[in-house]
Amino acid sequence: MSKITNQLNKQLENNMSEKVIKDEKMNRWFHGYEIADDVRSLRDVFLDLHIGRGDAVLVCLPNTAAYPVITQALWEVGAVMHPIAATTPELELQQELAEHEYVASIVGQELVDAALDDRLAIVTALHLQTYPLLHIIRDRKLMGNDAGIPEEDDLALIMNTSGTTGKPKRVGLTHRILLNGVEHDIESHQMTAADTTMVVMPMFHINAQAVSILSTRLSGGKIVIADKFSASKFWNQVRDNGVTWVSVVPTIVNILLINQKANENYSDDIRLRFARCSSFALPLDKLTAFQTRFHTRILEGYGMTETASQCTINPFDAPKVGSAGKAFKTDVQIMNDGKIMTVANQIGEIVVRGDHVISDYLESHPNSFKDGWFLTGDLGYLDEDGYLFVKGRKKDIINHGGEKVAPAQVENSLSQLNFVKEVSVIGTPDALYGEAVTAVVISQGMQEESLERQKILAHARETLANYEQPTRIYFVKDYPRNATGKVIRLKLREQVLSLVGSVG
């Protein structure tokens, strides 16, 4: 048995009569013995269906206490879990099943017909304590492997990248890589058995899988699983369940700050050690406002699916506001023209390597790797103290008359305006400059758009270089987003161009 699977078993053995996982939608805590019973029941079904070592199983479920059960049961027979969004369209689910050899899929009742799709299969309906009616669809065209004890370099998880600029890549994470990443998370976040975390991020995402669930289980803590983030319920859930830390993204921070119900429900008896925030840079004013209003700290970090999540984190005793923190058990460098930069404060591509970083994708992409480094595609710099500052994606850089504009730089500036709820900056075609710096704003709706446009332009003149100042400003109700809430810039660009017709 792999080390991480053994440790998951020990966590249950040590907490048989203790509450370990709560499903908020069911409003029920599950004790260690109940989770262990569900793992055993599911593992026995996998054995009966001849799902074994190396077999990939697609999981398409909402956030649920059954997720940790499914993960552990699959690993105990040596199989591999590939979770995808519960909101995946039926056609996309069918394409995923057709393109790759999944021995089985696990879905809720509403997706059984789509997952079957006229294929020859065995459908097993299973009643679990953590999920009333689970459906396992076993593809009979695939033989499957015998159950076996997984070794450290066997695949444990297949995860899709966020795919904000193109088709998601499939990332294969081994038992060894996951364990290394989880152990680093436990140490850097100072997790103990006294901690309770709440999962509000989607559970098909590496953040929830590694940072929240696996790290908490291996450190002996408790997990509260919300079916989704709810601003109006958030602080009550934190208080009622004794939550000590939570992993969020900047969008959630912004919503909690402006949501009236959230602010009404917060009280000073809440004891949240920290909120871990990642995905993209949080504007300074939002970070400060959150920490002041809710009497906690925000720990910003940097990581991705390809690294089993975390690469950098702000130290508890020496955070640097605006940065993604310092490298933790990871080698993080800046590369320009294929060479590692040795001078601080020089912007280039962020490259990483370490014992929790993949060496290739499942479908090989050799251009993403160089001399043992994973090329993240993100731009940033390391300051003289080794703190990482992320400036955006290479593919997002705007070429404005030969000047290179990082959208994150402009977004951080415009986010300081109190009427700006969210802002995304993209390049749109311009006959004179090649690309125009275009700000797409979601407003709080407090004043006329014409006045807000004037204020944006005035603020940009005060805070940005001439070439960085937006020359086009559009107001929208929302952005096209992926399943984790990240803005899909390519689709946003298409949306803007469709609104205005031919630009430039």
Side-chain angles (χ1 to χ4, degrees), residues 150-196:
E151 295 182 359
E152 299 305 322
D153 292 321
D154 285 352
L155 278 184
L157 277 179
I158 297 173
M159 310 287 288
N160 291 343
T161 60
S162 296
T164 58
T165 57
K167 184 178 181 180
K169 302 183 184 76
R170 296 200 314 154
V171 176
L173 299 171
T174 65
H175 288 258
R176 186 190 308 278
I177 283 176
L178 272 176
L179 180 61
N180 290 337
V182 165
E183 288 180 340
H184 302 336
D185 288 341
I186 292 171
E187 183 179 350
S188 62
H189 292 77
Q190 301 177 13
M191 297 182 198
T192 71
D195 277 313
T196 299

Side-chain angles (χ1 to χ4, degrees), residues 200-219:
V200 294
M201 301 288 286
M203 293 177 72
F204 64 89
H205 191 265
I206 190 63
N207 187 295
Q209 285 292 329
V211 179
S212 295
I213 297 173
L214 290 173
S215 296
T216 300
R217 289 196 62 190
L218 265 59
S219 61

